[in-house]
Amino acid sequence: MLGEILDAVRRESPLVHCINNYVTANDCANLLLAAGASPIMADDPAESAEITARCRGLVLNLGTPDSRRLEAMVLSGQEAARRQLPVLLDPVGVGASAFRREAAARILASFPLTAVRGNMSELRTLMGLQSHGSGVDAGQPDNVTEQTLPDVLSFLQAFSRKTGAVAMVTGEMDLVCSGERVFVLRGGHPILSRITGSGCMLSALTGAFLAARPDHPLEAAAAAAASMKLCGERAAAALLPGEGSGFFRVRLIDALYNLTGEDLERSARYEMR
C-alpha cells in the first residue's frame, strides 16, 4: 500500500508548489526531486495563485513568515480550494510569536486543509492548548512517548475532526491520524533532529505524496513519513568514520533517490490502530 504511493510519485512526477521558508527551500526542492516529484516555489502574491493553478499540490510553511508571504499563502490556498487540490500546512514555530499564531488562524479560516504536519507543541498551540515549544522545536513535556501515546492519539483524533485535515505529528515516533484511523510509525535516526529542515523536507515530501494520491490522504501522509524514517536510518548507516550531520543531509537525499516502492513496502516499520 505505502510503496505503491511512492511508485505513483515517481511515475506521475507531480508539480508541487511550496511556499517555503528561505532556510530550507533548497533542501526541500532537492528532496522532492529525489522522490521523483517536481518542485516550484513562488511566494509573491502577484503570481502565487497562478502558480498554484498549474500544480497538483500546495505546501505552506510558516518557518520564516512575513506579511507578503502570508498573503501569497492565502491566495494560493484559496486557488487550491477552487481546484480541489491537496494543501498541507507546516505551522513551524507557531507558538513562538503572536504573528505566527495569527497567520495560522487566518490560514485555517480561509480554506480547507488536507493535512497539518508539525510537532506536538505546534499542534497543541493550533488547538489553543498550553504547549512547551522552544522556538521551532517541541518542548520536552510535549514529546510523544509510549506512556503518553493513548492520550496523544485521542488529541490527534480530536484535532483531525475539528480541522478536517490529516494530523501528522513527527518525532521519535510519527503519528498520522484522520478521525478514527491512525498510523504509528517507528524508526528513523536521532541525527534527523540535528539537521536544519528535516521536518520541512518531510512536509514537502508529504505534499508530493498527497498530490499523487489525493483520494487517499491518510495513506499518502503515512507513506511519506515512513519513507523519511527509513531513509534517515539508511543515511546514518552509510556514514563513514569522521562524518557527521553535514554528510548525513546529503546521504538522506541519496537514500530517498534510491528508495523503491517495493523496498518501502518491505522495510517500513508501522502499525495501524
Side-chain angles (χ1 to χ4, degrees), residues 3-270:
E4 187 279 329
I5 300 173
L6 173 59
D7 288 339
V9 174
R10 297 204 187 281
R11 184 172 60 249
E12 300 171 17
S13 190
L15 183 62
V16 181
H17 182 192
C18 299
I19 303 183
N20 217 77
N21 77 71
Y22 54 71
V23 176
T24 64
N26 184 68
D27 287 338
C28 290
N30 279 314
L31 197 80
L32 283 173
L33 290 168
S38 181
I40 186 168
M41 299 185 178
D43 63 5
D44 193 311
E47 68 165 356
S48 61
E50 182 181 359
I51 294 295
T52 298
R54 298 175 180 272
C55 296
R56 289 177 54 186
L58 175 65
V59 177
L60 307 177
N61 184 302
L62 285 180
T64 52
D66 59 44
S67 298
R68 172 176 160 277
R69 187 175 284 113
L70 174 59
E71 190 63 29
M73 289 182 178
V74 171
L75 292 172
S76 284
Q78 291 171 339
E79 182 65 24
R82 281 192 288 271
R83 296 177 179 273
Q84 297 184 311
L85 303 176
V87 182
L88 179 141
L89 172 64
D90 186 341
V92 181
V94 68
S97 71
F99 179 75
R100 291 177 192 242
R101 291 189 294 275
E102 291 163 4
R106 183 180 174 193
I107 288 170
L108 287 165
S110 296
F111 48 86
L113 297 171
T114 309
V116 179
R117 191 219 65 82
N119 59 48
M120 268 300 291
S121 295
E122 291 162 346
L123 267 63
R124 286 181 62 85
T125 297
L126 290 180
M127 287 287 276
L129 301 175
Q130 180 184 10
S131 71
H132 302 84
S134 175
V136 300
D137 298 319
Q140 184 65 34
D142 296 333
N143 286 339
V144 182
T145 66
E146 294 290 348
Q147 290 70 36
T148 64
L149 184 57
D151 289 339
V152 172
L153 293 180
S154 295
F155 164 81
L156 291 180
Q157 289 170 335
F159 182 98
S160 184
R161 294 188 191 107
K162 180 176 180 178
T163 62
V166 170
M168 298 179 67
V169 167
T170 52
E172 290 187 18
M173 73 176 72
D174 292 354
L175 308 172
V176 183
C177 174
S178 67
E180 301 302 324
R181 295 193 297 153
V182 180
F183 280 82
V184 180
L185 302 107
R186 294 181 172 82
H189 195 276
I191 305 180
L192 282 165
S193 67
R194 304 304 299 170
I195 61 170
T196 297
S198 58
C200 297
M201 286 188 276
L202 174 55
S203 291
L205 185 65
T206 304
F209 280 52
L210 290 170
R213 285 294 175 268
D215 51 338
H216 294 289
L218 176 70
E219 292 80 4
S227 298
M228 182 66 84
K229 282 197 170 297
L230 183 57
C231 290
E233 293 172 3
R234 293 180 175 179
L239 292 177
L240 301 175
E243 294 182 345
S245 59
F247 282 95
F248 175 86
R249 172 176 157 273
V250 174
R251 299 197 192 287
L252 178 67
I253 296 172
D254 287 346
L256 181 62
Y257 180 86
N258 289 301
L259 185 65
T260 66
E262 181 182 0
D263 194 6
L264 176 62
E265 195 69 46
R266 181 177 62 250
S267 304
R269 295 167 53 192
Y270 68 91

